[in-house]
Amino acid sequence: MHTIGQYAIPVFLVLLIVYRKVRKTIGFQLFRPNRLRIRMALFLLIGFLILWSSFIHPILYLADAAGIICGITLAMLAIKHSMFEQREQELYYRTHIGIETTILILFIGRFAYRFLVIFSMEQAAAAESQLDMKQYIKDPWTAGIFFVVVAYYIWYYAYILREGKKYIHSSGID
């Protein structure tokens, strides 16, 4: 039987991520090229690892591709509404709050759904038999939504890096 403590750490981590994302979604963010590059590299690494693991179930590639297309589309919409602002020799940027909120809701909603499915499967497995991990590892919806998030942030951060450098060079910010 599982205790509530097993779920407390993942829930706490997700709430921390949500808090940080909401804080970053509202208002201008300091342009920090190295942080953006590191985030892009992490998203690329995780994305490639998940794509590589999808070869066992090729149907996941369709969900991955759909997620990538949706993520790039959302990033292009966010790019149209992005703003840069110079304050005291530092550059700040702001994304479109509606699109950023959509990405956040997709991620949190799917995470919460999968958490509830896993929790209910564990309850049923405890009553009947062994839990079959295959049922929730190979979910195309989860893969697709994950790649919406991955593609969005990689595309959007690449834009912020490119435009931020242009802005810095044209305005003479240190």
Side-chain angles (χ1 to χ4, degrees), residues 158-174:
Y159 165 78
I160 293 296
L161 283 170
R162 186 179 67 244
E163 292 301 312
K165 285 180 184 179
K166 284 182 192 176
Y167 192 90
I168 286 171
H169 291 307
S170 68
S171 66
I173 298 174
D174 291 332

Side-chain angles (χ1 to χ4, degrees), residues 76-93:
M76 293 173 78
L77 287 171
I79 286 168
K80 288 182 182 179
H81 299 286
S82 294
M83 296 174 55
F84 286 90
E85 183 177 290
Q86 181 180 347
R87 299 181 196 164
E88 302 173 7
Q89 296 299 319
E90 291 185 327
L91 182 63
Y92 289 81
Y93 67 94

Side-chain angles (χ1 to χ4, degrees), residues 3-95:
T3 65
I4 197 73
Q6 291 177 303
Y7 300 107
I9 291 174
V11 168
F12 174 75
L13 289 174
V14 169
L15 290 175
L16 181 65
I17 290 169
V18 170
Y19 168 74
R20 291 189 69 201
K21 284 306 293 173
V22 168
R23 209 177 91 218
K24 287 184 177 193
T25 300
I26 300 171
F28 282 90
Q29 302 301 310
L30 181 61
F31 177 68
R32 295 182 177 145
N34 289 336
R35 283 191 182 184
L36 294 176
R37 284 186 200 102
I38 290 170
R39 289 177 186 164
M40 285 176 62
L42 288 174
F43 277 120
L44 279 169
L45 177 66
I46 293 169
F48 281 127
L49 289 174
I50 291 176
L51 278 174
W52 179 75
S53 69
S54 295
F55 77 90
I56 296 172
H57 299 283
I59 193 73
L60 291 178
Y61 286 127
L62 292 174
D64 297 345
I68 290 169
I69 291 168
C70 291
I72 290 172
T73 302
L74 285 171
M76 293 173 78
L77 287 171
I79 286 168
K80 288 182 182 179
H81 299 286
S82 294
M83 296 174 55
F84 286 90
E85 183 177 290
Q86 181 180 347
R87 299 181 196 164
E88 302 173 7
Q89 296 299 319
E90 291 185 327
L91 182 63
Y92 289 81
Y93 67 94
R94 184 179 74 188
T95 185

Side-chain angles (χ1 to χ4, degrees), residues 1-7 118-129 131:
M1 191 61 114
H2 298 285
T3 65
I4 197 73
Q6 291 177 303
Y7 300 107
I118 291 168
F119 184 73
S120 67
M121 289 173 75
E122 285 181 352
Q123 296 299 324
E128 293 177 15
S129 65
L131 178 64

Side-chain angles (χ1 to χ4, degrees), residues 121 125 130-137:
M121 289 173 75
Q130 203 175 34
L131 178 64
D132 185 13
M133 299 288 282
K134 295 177 195 173
Q135 292 177 354
Y136 58 90
I137 291 175

